[in-house]
Amino acid sequence: FPPPPDSSWDAAYERELQTFQDIGDAGEIWFGEESMVRIIRWLEKKKVPLDSCVLDIGTGNGVLLVELARSGYTNLTGIDYSPSAIQLSEKVREKEGMSHIKLKVEDFLAPSAELSGFEICIDKGTFDAISLNPDNAVEKRKQYVRSLCGVLKAEGFFLITSCNWTKEELLNEFREGFEILEELPTPKFCFGGRIGNSVTALVFQRK
């Protein structure tokens, strides 16, 4: 499903925030649980050190960071340009007793100077949302790649989960500065007799 346009993100998170306060539920996990498991398994398989500097781009409710912390990762930062999303992830963080997770309101297309030196960057759906912005989407995608080059160390890993872009399209979008390491298995769906992937998950390495 395509993410809603920009202004409704805040409204969606406002609702989730209200729900969380009412019943203590972290709300909808975008892309479902299996995408988090896929990311964490890959990090474990690659033996990525537990103190690696990890950035979750567009953290939303912060649940991925909580799962990473549960898996033993200690140097975690989540950013989102929606203040309501950061408020929600702060509540989730406090509820889980994980005060070491860093959370910041940041626009990834204009990142602050201290957002740098990450060894792992993870994106589940943020690049999709930026791509769907009717306002100058091509330039925004280029700016996203520039920002990514700025925050991710050389040889760092970028894990992207997308439901809008094929593998070939993503290879094209990230061809400058990144090389593909592997494609992660994602659920297949069948439509009209043709089998396709509804979700693409790729691992890139910064050159």
Side-chain angles (χ1 to χ4, degrees):
F1 56 90
D6 280 12
S7 58
S8 55
W9 276 123
D10 239 15
Y13 286 122
E14 283 287 352
R15 277 196 307 278
E16 283 204 16
L17 199 51
Q18 201 48 56
T19 310
F20 182 82
Q21 282 158 340
D22 294 348
I23 58 170
D25 169 30
E28 157 111 64
I29 301 169
W30 306 111
F31 286 86
E33 195 114 345
E34 101 282 327
S35 68
M36 294 198 292
V37 172
R38 194 184 307 128
I39 289 164
I40 291 166
R41 278 212 188 113
W42 185 85
L43 294 171
E44 287 171 346
K45 189 183 84 182
K46 276 303 267 194
K47 300 196 165 41
V48 169
L50 293 176
D51 61 355
S52 298
C53 209
V54 179
L55 177 66
D56 187 17
I57 301 164
T59 196
N61 56 23
V63 171
L64 173 61
L65 292 171
V66 167
E67 290 303 321
L68 284 164
R70 283 199 182 120
S71 301
Y73 291 88
T74 55
N75 195 347
L76 301 169
T77 300
I79 58 167
D80 205 293
Y81 85 117
S82 158
S84 308
I86 292 298
Q87 270 185 297
L88 179 62
S89 48
E90 282 169 348
K91 289 198 157 48
V92 173
R93 171 183 74 180
E94 300 325 316
K95 178 178 173 239
E96 300 293 339
M98 292 177 171
S99 55
H100 64 285
I101 295 174
K102 296 187 274 298
L103 296 164
K104 293 183 192 151
V105 177
E106 284 262 5
D107 176 359
F108 191 65
L109 299 183
S112 62
E114 66 260 26
L115 210 66
S116 68
F118 290 93
E119 289 151 296
I120 315 281
C121 286
I122 300 172
D123 180 325
K124 292 180 18 272
T126 298
F127 186 70
D128 285 357
I130 286 169
S131 312
L132 287 173
N133 190 321
D135 228 21
N136 207 353
V138 173
E139 183 46 44
K140 288 195 161 126
R141 294 203 300 272
K142 286 188 177 140
Q143 183 54 53
Y144 180 102
V145 177
R146 284 196 289 270
S147 294
L148 188 60
C149 286
V151 304
L152 187 60
K153 282 181 167 175
E155 301 191 355
F157 300 118
F158 172 55
L159 289 80
I160 181 167
T161 304
S162 167
C163 63
N164 287 42
W165 299 93
T166 64
K167 177 183 177 181
E168 288 65 36
E169 288 168 333
L170 289 171
L171 291 181
N172 184 47
E173 291 290 331
F174 292 94
R175 67 187 183 279
E176 291 189 25
F178 296 88
E179 57 193 354
I180 176 95
L181 278 187
E182 60 187 292
E183 180 172 14
L184 303 181
T186 59
K188 300 267 189 287
F189 72 101
C190 188
F191 184 76
R194 291 177 59 193
I195 290 179
N197 274 39
S198 51
V199 176
T200 304
L202 301 179
V203 182
F204 288 95
Q205 188 162 26
R206 172 114 155 72
K207 289 177 188 164

